[in-house]
Amino acid sequence: MNARTRCDTEETRVLVVEDDRGIAESLVRGLRQAGYGAEGVRTGRAALSASTPDVVLLDLGLPDIDGVEVCRRLRARSDAAIIAVTARGEEADRVLALDEGADDYLVKPFGLAELLARIRAVLRRRRPAGPEILRHGPLALDLRTRQVSVDGRAVALTPKEFGILECLAADPGRVVTRQQILERAWDAHWYGPTKVLDVHVAALRRKLGMPSLIETVYGQGFRLGAVQEPQERP
């Protein structure tokens, strides 16, 4: 199963178009730390010649081509999500960028947390919705109602447990690192101990009645393994 979830941000490519080297490097670094594939260019021409990304973070104050014109040209040839960035903040600039195809805008200065939230929002609007129910053998996750069942039996999970399971069930067999799970199920800037994850995984295995379903890949993370029949409850 190859549904897009919070766990596959590394498949999302973000192009940062910003002429200020310091700002650009900081943004690229923050996006990469959050799991995105990020690259930076400093001119409108470079942005127009770059390979098509999933998201364009476009500064409107570029040195060679007006940012609104770059936005218009990008939109004419691509369905990438475009977030316009301006230090000017005038309503007319924002409206013009939106009219020329931008999906959203940010006014400098802004924080990384706000940028990541805007990226998630534009991707939700632009990407086709994935399946509402993820299945792996007798396991079923309803992403809309956030309910889980095993062989039709409802399993009550905490929000954190559901987040962990959703992360793994999006692509059974794929190893998801401990940090990726923590950042998606907890917070994008989780810096606490990873031991808390083991406690939730242990509870999740017990509740599902399939202890071997969630495999520990030592030194890497976790994955959903081959399905075995649920153990009988006493």
Side-chain angles (χ1 to χ4, degrees), residues 103-187:
D103 297 276
D104 201 353
Y105 67 87
L106 282 167
V107 178
K108 294 178 181 178
F110 55 86
L112 180 61
E114 182 181 5
L115 171 59
L116 296 176
R118 297 294 183 96
I119 290 175
R120 292 192 296 268
V122 296
L123 289 176
R124 281 196 300 268
R125 293 196 295 267
R126 285 201 157 266
R127 285 175 173 164
E132 289 193 346
I133 298 180
L134 302 180
R135 300 185 185 277
H136 184 56
L139 176 68
L141 285 78
D142 190 318
L143 302 184
R144 184 181 64 83
T145 63
R146 298 184 69 80
Q147 294 180 331
V148 173
S149 64
V150 175
D151 274 329
R153 170 181 60 85
V155 179
L157 300 182
T158 68
K160 293 291 188 296
E161 291 165 353
F162 185 92
I164 295 168
L165 190 59
E166 178 188 359
C167 208
L168 298 172
D171 192 358
R174 173 193 171 202
V175 177
V176 186
T177 68
R178 300 171 69 88
Q179 192 63 31
Q180 284 175 325
I181 296 174
L182 286 167
E183 290 177 354
R184 275 57 170 186
W186 268 257
D187 182 80

Side-chain angles (χ1 to χ4, degrees), residues 6 42 67 79 96 137 218 231:
R6 294 171 294 174
R42 301 179 63 188
D79 63 353
L96 186 56
Y218 292 99
Q231 295 179 344

Side-chain angles (χ1 to χ4, degrees), residues 15 17 41-53 56 58 62 64-78 82:
L15 178 65
V17 187
V41 296
R42 301 179 63 188
T43 66
R45 289 186 179 87
L48 294 170
S49 63
S51 59
T52 302
V56 180
L58 176 62
L62 298 174
D64 57 341
I65 305 174
D66 183 75
V68 173
E69 175 64 16
V70 175
C71 180
R72 184 187 67 77
R73 294 188 194 180
L74 287 173
R75 177 55 63 233
R77 73 180 199 192
S78 168
I82 301 174

Side-chain angles (χ1 to χ4, degrees), residues 205 209-216 223-229 231:
R205 286 168 170 155
M210 296 184 289
S212 63
L213 177 63
I214 302 177
E215 298 180 348
T216 300
R223 68 184 173 198
L224 286 193
V227 174
Q228 298 180 6
E229 291 298 319
Q231 295 179 344

